[in-house]
Amino acid sequence: MIYKKNFSNKLIYKEGTNYTIIIALLYYLNSIVAININFIRFQTIAGQAYQKQEQSLLFMNHLFVLIVILITFGGRALQAQNLRVVTGDIGGTVFEKTAENDKEVEYPVYMVNVCLLLPKDSSVVKFATSDEKGNFLIKAAAPGDYLLSLSAMGYSKLYLKITKDDFRKESIALGRVQMAASPIELAGITVTASPPEVVVKEDTLEYNPSAFRMQESSVVEDLLKRLPGVEVEADGKVSVAGKEVKRIYVDGKEFFGNDPKIATKNLTVDVIDKVQVVEKKSDLSQLTGIDDGERETVINLTIKEGMKKGWLGNITAGAGTPLKQQEGQKQQYTANGMVSRFRDSDQLALVYHSNNTGKDGGQGISTSNTVGLNATKEMSDKLKLNGNVRYNYAERFSKSNSFRQNLLIDSVSYRRDARSNQSYSHNLGFDTKVEYKPDTLNTFVFSSRFSYNNSRTHNQSEQSTMAGDADSTRVNASTAGLRNMVEGWTLGTELTWSRRFAKNGRRLNFTGRIDWNRNTTGGENLSVSEFYFQPDRNKYLNQDLNANTHNDAYFFRASYVEPLGTGNTLQLSYTMRYNATSNIRKTYDYDSGTGTYSILNPDYSKSLDNDFTNQIVSLTFNAIRPKYSYTAGINIVPSYTQSTSFIKDGESTGNDSLLNRIDGRRVVNYVPQASFRYRIDERTSLNFNYRGNTRQPDVSQLDPTPNVTNPLNIRTGNPDLLPAFSNMISFGLNNYRRETQRSFVVNADFSFTMNEIVNFTEYEAVTGIQHTRPINENGSWNGAANVMYNFPVGSAKKLRLSTQTRVNYNNRIGYTMVNKRSERNISGTTGISGNLGISYNNGWFYGQFRGLALYSNTANSLEGKKDQQNYNFGVNYNTQLYLPANWILASDVNYAASRGLSSGYNRNEVLWNASLSKQFLKKKQASIILQWNDILQQRQNIRRNVTANYIEDSEYNSLTSYVMITFSYRFNTMGRQAAKGARQATNGFREQEPKERGR
């Protein structure tokens, strides 16, 4: 696009030149980057008049004449826009150059963040965003020396110098400013003198580690525990707004596949620039541009600029002793090490992790040993490689006690359960990914994965059921000892080809995937089940267990994207999945005569074969506008199931016994989808999503033959089950004000399910045996709303407040025994929680307070069933004091209380941990830390589970109080020449040096 400057400093189109602007949607691809970035390009084609666009109408016909979707989209007059500037105005036009069909073409760049910065501290003075033509305008800036920062998703950041002399003119016209594409898409900019704790960017929450003042030796998991809206469980599982994080990225590149703990427990905070929480589309969606509706919450860790060339490492070793000895607990130790090599976009990381401090597991006492290697290499602009290999050995000893109250009206029953488990496991796996772009139009992505596991477990359990009389008469009881050894492997491979065409936005994609899974199980079962009112039903089992499971899965998808008119695309895709599963079980009873396990037990030897075919035909319309975008579509989902249950060698060797066959079960579902996103201004955006999802019953739910492997709970399938269909609606509103560092996030979700599959349970009056089978029910729904507000107090922004409030309601369908028969009951559970966080940081002192209160009430529709209420309270305070001579005193206190649980399960605990560390060597690279965990020795693990049929309270063992001394050494050859000032906050972009403007 050609501009010229006139004497009034207006940017105008060159007279006498004819142009047409076609807005097209382009999906910019990076196969490992954590989010899919949609942006708009504008193509200039000479020889056509630049005039008003004709209004167009699109009719999307239902593929099988079932539904007609009518979508009307309008074009509006696109006219040459003059930028009227006044004194102090700074304006310009941002564009990029790219090669298409062996020609160099130019596009305006939309949604560029333009920040006017003070050079001394990089604080933001003024802010603007480029429009659909690439134009931007910063109004009425005071004369002075500035840096002008330009950044956009998918582009390298650019700095321009603005001097005080430039303001002698009426205004500053920068003319045309060229930006270069960057391979890293997770991006944005937040540059302030005092960094904000959290920044909101549409579908991304971005946290600043420097605002939380962590110790230099702290790892990412320690930081995540302090972030508002983020929860880290005892086993290391990370959740954001209730959604589990299953993958971690480093600078947009996948880090150790689906094992996020390797990153959270080994990467140190001192090299992390930003922690970004992203609602990411699937890898396939990002590559092909076809939105399959799959979303996952991922975390992307950006490395500080200037620390991307060199070596980074840390070594930690420590030993300790328990202060309160308990079963299974040994002397404590920890040994960790990580060596990383960064070179621009290339990464290499070697990780070793070993401890018995329970940091790799929640329930029980655990020991874990992990070693892994992760590598990312860009061989050239055309070839990118990524891969990792990892090995883990783990031991765990756990004990639990639970008490269940069955929700009956005319009678009461209870169940007590005590279990212990000892397990050992070996896991080996590797993943590889190759991305090849032979030219600008074709992309090939090949990935493979392999895993091997070998585990041994030994379980001991005792169960008993009691009547509700004054003596709590025992109805039944069982004891069992089970030993299992499982060995298996998984192998998978996937190939995707994506083809762009000369017409901007047109794309064709093909994907094929194969997965094979094999598992072999062997073990022993020694158990006794007693029924006190019917002794003839007693069971004494001494068995040898054998099982072999094969699963073969095949996937194919073909998709096509066609641009329509201005900023619109039509997507058509076909998907086919085929799964073949075979589960062969053989259980032999002990023959006392021969002293061998040679008697085939048919009740415990049920085998299953299942074939499942699922197809999806999808038609979707997408529209992109400068202020909003929307998607509407329909999926037609036919499926086919065929299964057989039998006893292998049931009649004789080589001659099976047929139990049940389901032939040719065919179901067709119709799944609509819709989404809408609106950008109110540069601070505020809202989005809406609707998606339907169908869930087929699995083979065990359809098989009518009884499963008696647990004599106290006999399960039977239902061949008449219908697929469940869920409707899911979500709404989000995000607001962030850079100048005040205030963040405001509102999320709301609602879902209801038709033909939900629930368990219908009946109890035998005499024996107390529970009989369960699945049925379809309507009436289940749930809704939740979450509000988060984060803001600093005062101009210095040393004191910060954050609040989070969540309200949810869950409507469940269940069945309760009334007059010796099961009656339908609707239980509604209301939950309200509030979280308040206050933090203060003045350099030598950091303190953070977090308070939590949660109330839950369950009401039942059946008359006579009591409501159930419980309360949870929590207060956490953590602090660091940075003392003279490089001493650091740190402490955290956690108070937790619960009320309304079963007798003996209400808790009231205070967990107090403290540490004293000394940093030494020239650059504080080494430190010695003395830490004391659970000083008051009050740790408890108590859980409550509420359903429509029962309420169960459980307690687990865990690691108790211990003292440990640890030595830590860090080395870092990166960032020695790192620039300061505005270059400190770049969110993973490759920066360009500030340069003088050419005038």
Side-chain angles (χ1 to χ4, degrees):
M1 190 174 295
I2 301 176
Y3 294 95
K4 72 175 183 179
K5 288 184 284 185
N6 64 4
F7 292 105
S8 62
N9 288 312
K10 296 178 182 179
L11 300 177
I12 64 174
Y13 291 96
K14 188 173 181 180
E15 297 176 358
T17 306
N18 299 324
Y19 295 94
T20 294
I21 299 178
I22 300 177
I23 303 176
L25 174 66
L26 175 67
Y27 287 89
Y28 181 76
L29 166 70
N30 184 321
S31 64
I32 312 176
V33 176
I35 84 172
N36 186 48
I37 305 297
N38 296 329
F39 60 91
I40 302 177
R41 285 181 168 178
F42 302 76
Q43 183 176 3
T44 301
I45 302 178
Q48 298 181 5
Y50 180 79
Q51 296 174 344
K52 184 183 298 184
Q53 298 284 336
E54 293 292 328
Q55 193 175 47
S56 57
L57 184 67
L58 172 67
F59 293 95
M60 298 192 338
N61 295 321
H62 189 290
L63 296 178
F64 292 81
V65 201
L66 295 172
I67 299 177
V68 177
I69 301 178
L70 179 63
I71 300 178
T72 305
F73 61 92
R76 59 186 176 91
L78 300 176
Q79 300 177 350
Q81 176 180 341
N82 291 341
L83 290 179
R84 295 188 175 274
V85 291
V86 297
T87 302
D89 286 0
I90 303 173
T93 303
V94 190
F95 74 99
E96 69 159 321
K97 289 184 179 181
T98 187
E100 289 190 4
N101 298 328
D102 299 324
K103 295 181 180 180
E104 190 176 73
V105 295
E106 298 180 359
Y107 296 104
V109 183
Y110 174 53
M111 291 286 290
V112 176
N113 294 322
V114 184
C115 296
L116 192 64
L117 311 176
L118 289 177
K120 63 178 181 179
D121 59 9
S122 301
S123 58
V124 177
V125 178
K126 293 279 186 176
F127 173 76
T129 305
S130 65
D131 63 16
E132 63 270 19
K133 300 180 182 65
N135 299 328
F136 67 88
L137 179 63
I138 291 179
K139 296 183 178 180
D145 295 328
Y146 300 101
L147 281 178
L148 191 71
S149 167
L150 296 92
S151 63
M153 296 177 178
Y155 294 88
S156 297
K157 187 159 55 181
L158 179 67
Y159 290 105
L160 300 176
K161 289 182 179 179
I162 305 291
T163 67
K164 189 174 182 179
D165 292 340
D166 294 328
F167 288 88
R168 293 176 180 176
K169 299 180 181 180
E170 179 184 3
S171 58
I172 302 174
L174 299 176
R176 304 181 68 237
V177 181
Q178 182 179 348
M179 296 191 73
S182 168
I184 298 176
E185 297 176 2
L186 277 170
I189 178 168
T190 303
V191 186
T192 55
S194 177
E197 287 189 352
V198 61
V199 176
V200 180
K201 301 177 179 180
E202 295 189 351
D203 56 358
T204 302
L205 285 177
E206 183 176 88
Y207 298 92
N208 272 295
S210 58
F212 295 90
R213 199 63 193 274
M214 305 294 296
Q215 291 191 53
E216 302 256 343
S217 60
S218 300
V219 294
V220 171
E221 183 181 79
D222 300 322
L223 172 64
L224 295 178
K225 293 178 180 179
R226 296 190 185 178
L227 303 185
V230 179
E231 298 294 333
V232 181
E233 297 186 13
D235 61 356
K237 185 175 74 173
V238 179
S239 300
V240 181
K243 300 177 181 178
E244 182 180 355
V245 175
K246 295 184 178 179
R247 286 200 284 179
I248 296 287
Y249 290 76
V250 174
D251 269 345
K253 299 175 178 63
E254 198 166 342
F255 195 78
F256 283 101
N258 293 327
D259 193 350
K261 295 179 185 178
I262 293 183
T264 60
K265 294 179 181 296
N266 291 281
L267 286 175
T268 53
V269 175
D270 58 319
V271 300
I272 304 299
D273 182 43
K274 298 292 185 294
V275 177
Q276 297 171 326
V277 179
V278 183
E279 286 297 309
K280 176 184 172 294
K281 294 182 179 180
S282 68
D283 293 339
L284 190 59
S285 293
Q286 291 185 188
L287 176 64
T288 64
I290 296 290
D291 190 354
D292 56 11
E294 299 294 331
R295 297 289 190 277
E296 65 172 328
T297 301
V298 303
I299 288 179
N300 180 62
L301 306 172
T302 66
I303 303 299
K304 290 178 179 177
E305 194 66 26
M307 287 193 170
K308 297 178 181 178
K309 288 186 178 180
W311 291 89
L312 169 72
N314 63 80
I315 301 171
T316 302
T321 183
L323 302 180
K324 183 180 179 180
Q325 193 68 41
Q326 64 171 325
E327 185 180 359
Q329 188 165 344
K330 305 174 183 178
Q331 297 295 115
Q332 265 62 63
Y333 72 88
T334 183
N336 307 305
M338 187 186 77
V339 178
S340 301
R341 174 76 164 98
F342 291 85
R343 188 169 184 178
D344 294 328
S345 57
D346 296 342
Q347 299 176 7
L348 180 68
L350 176 64
V351 172
Y352 174 73
H353 185 60
S354 178
N355 74 83
N356 67 346
T357 60
K359 289 187 176 181
D360 294 319
Q363 302 172 6
I365 299 172
S366 62
T367 298
S368 177
N369 300 275
T370 300
V371 61
L373 178 67
N374 186 85
T376 298
K377 177 69 176 176
E378 290 193 10
M379 306 296 294
S380 66
D381 292 339
K382 295 183 178 181
L383 183 61
K384 300 176 183 179
L385 309 177
N386 175 265
N388 69 81
V389 59
R390 58 208 178 274
Y391 167 77
N392 174 263
Y393 170 74
E395 298 180 11
R396 183 181 303 279
F397 173 74
S398 63
K399 297 183 70 175
S400 65
N401 292 281
S402 64
F403 180 79
R404 175 183 293 190
Q405 178 183 359
N406 294 309
L407 302 179
L408 311 177
I409 291 182
D410 57 344
S411 62
V412 179
S413 68
Y414 305 97
R415 192 188 77 177
R416 293 193 181 275
D417 194 332
R419 296 177 181 271
S420 66
N421 173 275
Q422 185 79 49
S423 64
Y424 311 86
S425 64
H426 300 265
N427 293 277
L428 173 68
F430 71 79
D431 301 275
T432 63
K433 193 170 191 176
V434 179
E435 180 182 334
Y436 177 58
K437 295 182 178 180
D439 50 47
T440 60
L441 300 179
N442 293 279
T443 301
F444 296 89
V445 177
F446 174 79
S447 63
S448 61
R449 52 207 166 271
F450 173 81
S451 64
Y452 168 81
N453 68 86
N454 184 300
S455 64
R456 291 178 292 125
T457 60
H458 181 200
N459 296 298
Q460 296 282 350
S461 65
E462 294 183 5
Q463 297 182 52
S464 60
T465 302
M466 292 81 66
D469 55 14
D471 297 327
S472 296
T473 304
R474 298 181 77 183
V475 178
N476 61 49
S478 71
T479 60
L482 178 65
R483 294 180 182 270
N484 259 343
M485 185 177 73
V486 180
E487 184 176 26
W489 56 266
T490 298
L491 176 65
T493 185
E494 180 179 295
L495 176 64
T496 295
W497 171 43
S498 182
R499 163 78 181 185
R500 292 196 305 116
F501 293 89
K503 184 176 181 180
N504 198 15
R506 179 179 291 167
R507 187 184 290 268
L508 181 65
N509 312 287
F510 295 96
T511 297
R513 184 170 67 236
I514 300 174
D515 291 286
W516 295 305
N517 181 280
R518 302 290 185 268
N519 272 293
T520 300
T521 303
E524 299 174 357
N525 175 32
L526 185 62
S527 63
V528 177
S529 300
E530 298 179 282
F531 304 96
Y532 297 104
F533 296 102
Q534 200 170 349
D536 58 310
R537 299 281 295 274
N538 292 351
K539 283 192 175 183
Y540 304 89
L541 299 176
N542 185 1
Q543 299 175 323
D544 178 69
L545 311 175
N546 298 276
N548 289 280
T549 301
H550 292 190
N551 180 267
D552 297 332
Y554 304 90
F555 172 92
F556 172 77
R557 171 176 289 172
S559 60
Y560 177 73
V561 181
E562 176 65 24
L564 299 174
T566 303
N568 308 306
T569 59
L570 185 66
Q571 303 176 353
L572 176 65
S573 68
Y574 169 77
T575 303
M576 189 277 290
R577 294 183 177 90
Y578 172 74
N579 287 299
T581 303
S582 175
N583 183 12
I584 307 299
R585 298 174 58 91
K586 286 188 176 182
T587 300
Y588 294 94
D589 290 334
Y590 181 73
D591 186 346
S592 58
T594 62
T596 60
Y597 293 95
S598 55
I599 304 174
L600 183 68
N601 188 322
D603 292 334
Y604 291 80
S605 299
K606 184 172 68 173
S607 299
L608 292 171
D609 279 342
N610 179 68
D611 292 336
F612 176 72
T613 303
N614 176 257
Q615 302 176 80
I616 303 175
V617 180
S618 177
L619 187 64
T620 307
F621 177 78
N622 297 298
I624 301 290
R625 300 293 184 268
K627 297 284 289 185
Y628 66 90
S629 62
Y630 64 88
T631 298
I634 183 72
N635 299 324
I636 303 173
V637 188
S639 61
Y640 175 86
T641 301
Q642 179 177 346
S643 63
T644 303
S645 61
F646 59 95
I647 299 174
K648 185 69 175 175
D649 299 329
E651 296 183 5
S652 60
T653 301
N655 194 359
D656 304 336
S657 299
L658 180 65
L659 298 177
N660 182 68
R661 183 190 300 275
I662 300 176
D663 288 323
R665 180 184 177 89
R666 292 179 172 85
V667 178
V668 178
N669 290 283
Y670 306 94
V671 183
Q673 66 180 91
S675 66
F676 176 77
R677 171 165 292 183
Y678 182 68
R679 187 173 180 270
I680 300 173
D681 53 37
E682 66 271 12
R683 301 184 180 100
T684 311
S685 66
L686 62 86
N687 60 78
F688 166 85
N689 287 281
Y690 165 80
R691 187 166 183 86
N693 181 50
T694 183
R695 185 173 70 86
Q696 302 288 336
D698 60 38
V699 179
S700 62
Q701 291 175 319
L702 294 171
D703 187 359
T705 56
N707 183 337
V708 296
T709 53
N710 183 349
L712 303 185
N713 186 1
I714 299 175
R715 296 182 174 273
T716 305
N718 179 1
D720 297 323
L721 278 181
L722 298 174
F725 186 87
S726 298
N727 300 271
M728 294 164 287
I729 301 171
S730 64
F731 167 83
L733 173 67
N734 298 331
N735 177 270
Y736 175 66
R737 295 183 177 270
R738 294 173 184 268
E739 62 275 14
T740 60
Q741 297 184 8
R742 293 175 182 262
S743 300
F744 180 68
V745 180
V746 178
N747 293 305
D749 300 279
F750 176 78
S751 67
F752 64 95
T753 304
M754 297 180 292
N755 294 322
E756 184 183 23
I757 299 174
V758 301
N759 286 328
F760 180 85
T761 302
E762 295 180 300
Y763 297 86
E764 293 185 13
V766 177
T767 64
I769 294 176
Q770 179 176 309
H771 293 266
T772 303
R773 66 184 178 91
I775 62 173
N776 291 115
E777 276 289 352
N778 291 312
S780 293
W781 60 274
N782 64 78
N786 187 76
V787 179
M788 186 176 74
Y789 186 42
N790 183 286
F791 60 96
V793 178
S795 58
K797 299 179 175 61
K798 294 180 179 180
L799 180 67
R800 300 177 185 274
L801 276 72
S802 64
T803 66
Q804 184 173 4
T805 303
R806 181 175 176 83
V807 179
N808 62 279
Y809 183 83
N810 196 331
N811 202 70
R812 301 184 184 94
I813 307 298
Y815 284 83
T816 296
M817 292 292 291
V818 179
N819 297 323
K820 300 182 180 181
R821 58 176 295 179
S822 284
E823 296 288 346
R824 190 175 190 263
N825 176 55
I826 302 175
S827 64
T829 300
T830 302
I832 303 174
S833 65
N835 192 319
L836 172 65
I838 303 173
S839 64
Y840 180 78
N841 182 2
N842 69 354
W844 64 272
F845 169 81
Y846 175 84
Q848 183 191 56
F849 167 89
R850 295 179 71 177
L852 170 69
L854 185 149
Y855 166 77
S856 177
N857 178 71
T858 300
N860 300 283
S861 62
L862 280 177
E863 186 176 355
K865 292 195 66 174
K866 295 181 180 180
D867 294 350
Q868 299 289 333
Q869 298 181 356
N870 65 283
Y871 306 84
N872 287 278
F873 310 95
V875 176
N876 168 264
Y877 176 74
N878 66 80
T879 187
Q880 288 88 43
L881 294 175
Y882 295 84
L883 305 175
N886 297 323
W887 286 91
I888 301 174
L889 178 63
S891 178
D892 63 88
V893 181
N894 296 272
Y895 169 74
S898 57
R899 298 293 183 269
L901 306 185
S902 304
S903 177
Y905 288 90
N906 289 312
R907 67 173 175 170
N908 198 43
E909 66 180 23
V910 178
L911 300 180
W912 179 19
N913 306 316
S915 68
L916 179 65
S917 62
K918 165 69 175 177
Q919 295 178 330
F920 56 98
L921 296 185
K922 184 177 181 181
K923 296 182 179 180
K924 305 178 184 179
Q925 294 171 285
S927 61
I928 294 180
I929 305 172
L930 177 64
Q931 62 185 100
W932 187 353
N933 282 42
D934 191 12
I935 296 174
L936 303 180
Q937 301 184 11
Q938 291 190 13
R939 181 180 297 276
Q940 303 173 39
N941 280 330
I942 294 176
R943 302 286 187 272
R944 162 160 284 201
N945 183 25
V946 179
T947 73
N949 299 321
Y950 62 83
I951 298 174
E952 185 174 55
D953 297 316
S954 303
E955 182 178 13
Y956 307 88
N957 70 323
S958 64
L959 190 66
T960 58
S961 179
Y962 66 91
V963 174
M964 175 174 284
I965 186 168
T966 304
F967 170 79
S968 177
Y969 177 77
R970 298 176 294 105
F971 62 90
N972 186 349
T973 67
M974 302 192 299
R976 293 179 178 174
Q977 304 299 324
K980 297 181 180 179
R983 296 177 59 118
Q984 292 176 346
T986 60
N987 292 346
F989 279 113
R990 295 173 176 168
E991 295 186 354
Q992 300 178 17
E993 293 290 344
K995 58 184 180 182
E996 299 287 346
R997 294 182 296 106
R999 287 189 287 269

